[in-house]
């Protein structure tokens, strides 16, 4: 609503959009060229690292082990200039009695340049958004040959794995309140933890014989929580 007491309202009556009680106009639009172009910048920092330890058990080299760890993080900050706070626009267009300092009455009806720097400073704001994602994980494995099961030895492998993933997005408080001229957005965030264990075996009962090239029994299982 553009109040009739707004000093730049040439009609001297409250202008209320149709569809609202007492509505008397369809649309008023003004390109806010005095605010300049909208300018968007983004800074993104990404880190990722991994490490592994491995070795064998015993001198025969039948058993091998490894332990692995990973860490990754992505952090982004966005800044947008030239956005408008709709709540302050309403205050600057509303009853003059409610537009006390630092509020400055807004002129929507003047020629280009009528929106002064003081008006721009009151209704404009710099939008700051941020987001972050991270992953942390570790695994441990062991594998090797065990007892004889015919023409070869029983192969075994087992391991555990754990991962934690998190993410969030935090738009500017003005945008979260629905007062920005940008697309409305709310805070979003979450994550999950995963723990897994697995085991595998391979039993080659017959291998490389004239009548049978390979006869084996193998199996694997994994549990994830």
């Amino acid at each position: 609503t553009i109040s009739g007491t707004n000093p730049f309202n040439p009609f001297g009556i409250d202008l209320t959009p149709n569809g609202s009680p007492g509505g008397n106009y369809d649309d008023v639009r003004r390109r806010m060229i005095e605010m300049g172009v909208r300018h968007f910048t983004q800074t993104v920092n990404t880190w990722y690292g991994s490490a592994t330890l491995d070795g064998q058990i015993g001198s025969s080299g039948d058993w091998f082990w490894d332990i692995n760890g990973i860490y990754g993080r992505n952090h982004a900050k966005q800044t947008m200039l030239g956005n408008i706070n709709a709540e302050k626009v309403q205050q600057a267009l509303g009853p003059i009695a409610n537009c006390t300092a630092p509020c400055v009455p807004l002129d929507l009806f003047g020629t280009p340049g009528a929106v002064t720097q003081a008006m721009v400073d009151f209704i404009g704001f710099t939008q700051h958004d941020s987001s972050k994602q991270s992953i942390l994980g570790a695994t441990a494995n062991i594998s090797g040959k065990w007892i004889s099961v015919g023409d070869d030895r029983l192969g075994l492998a087992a391991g555990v794995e754990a991962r934690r993933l998190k993410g969030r997005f935090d738009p500017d408080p003005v945008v979260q309140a629905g007062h920005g001229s940008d697309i409305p957005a709310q805070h979003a965030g979450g994550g999950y933890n995963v723990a897994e264990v697995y085991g595998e075996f391979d039993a080659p009962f017959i291998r490389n014989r004239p009548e049978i090239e390979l006869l084996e029994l193998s199996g694997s299982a994994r549990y994830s929580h």
Side-chain angles (χ1 to χ4, degrees):
T1 297
I2 305 173
S3 172
T5 62
N6 179 286
F8 303 105
N9 182 346
F11 304 100
I13 60 172
D14 287 353
L15 301 177
T16 303
N18 287 328
S20 301
N24 53 13
Y25 80 91
D26 284 327
D27 199 14
V28 174
R29 300 189 182 199
R30 191 186 197 285
R31 174 67 67 182
M32 302 298 288
I33 59 175
E34 293 86 356
M35 299 194 69
V37 298
R38 294 184 185 178
H39 186 69
F40 175 84
T41 60
Q42 183 181 55
T43 301
V44 181
N45 293 308
T46 301
W47 299 268
Y48 182 84
S50 63
T52 297
L53 293 174
D54 58 31
Q56 64 183 40
I57 301 174
S59 58
S60 62
D62 288 339
W63 291 89
F64 298 89
W65 61 269
D66 62 84
I67 300 174
N68 313 276
I70 60 170
Y71 175 74
R73 179 186 175 190
N74 178 285
H75 190 199
K77 293 183 177 181
Q78 296 83 234
T79 301
M80 190 171 79
L81 305 176
N83 210 332
I84 299 174
N85 187 327
E87 186 177 40
K88 290 188 175 181
V89 170
Q90 179 60 82
Q91 184 181 359
L93 294 175
I96 192 66
N98 296 336
C99 187
T100 57
C103 177
V104 179
L106 180 61
D107 183 2
L108 285 186
F109 301 97
T111 56
V115 177
T116 66
Q117 187 61 48
M119 298 176 187
V120 168
D121 292 341
F122 179 68
I123 66 173
F125 77 101
T126 300
Q127 179 179 334
H128 297 283
D129 307 322
S130 68
S131 60
K132 180 181 178 182
Q133 300 83 39
S134 65
I135 178 173
L136 179 66
T139 63
N141 305 281
I142 186 170
S143 62
K145 297 287 189 176
W146 195 29
I147 59 176
S148 177
V149 290
D151 288 345
D152 206 338
R153 288 187 296 167
L154 178 67
L156 296 174
V160 295
E161 181 174 357
R163 297 186 307 277
R164 183 180 69 188
L165 296 95
K166 297 191 300 182
R168 65 167 176 81
F169 171 60
D170 293 304
D172 191 279
V174 175
V175 176
Q176 291 195 54
H179 300 316
S181 53
D182 197 7
I183 298 173
Q186 295 293 321
H187 163 79
Y192 57 89
N193 299 323
V194 180
E196 296 182 318
V197 59
Y198 79 91
E200 302 175 356
F201 74 90
D202 177 51
F205 297 106
I206 301 175
R207 183 190 296 273
N208 296 327
R209 293 189 185 183
E211 67 279 10
I212 299 178
E213 181 178 347
L214 177 65
L215 175 63
E216 66 177 349
L217 176 65
S218 61
S220 63
R222 177 179 290 264
Y223 174 76
S224 179
H225 177 68

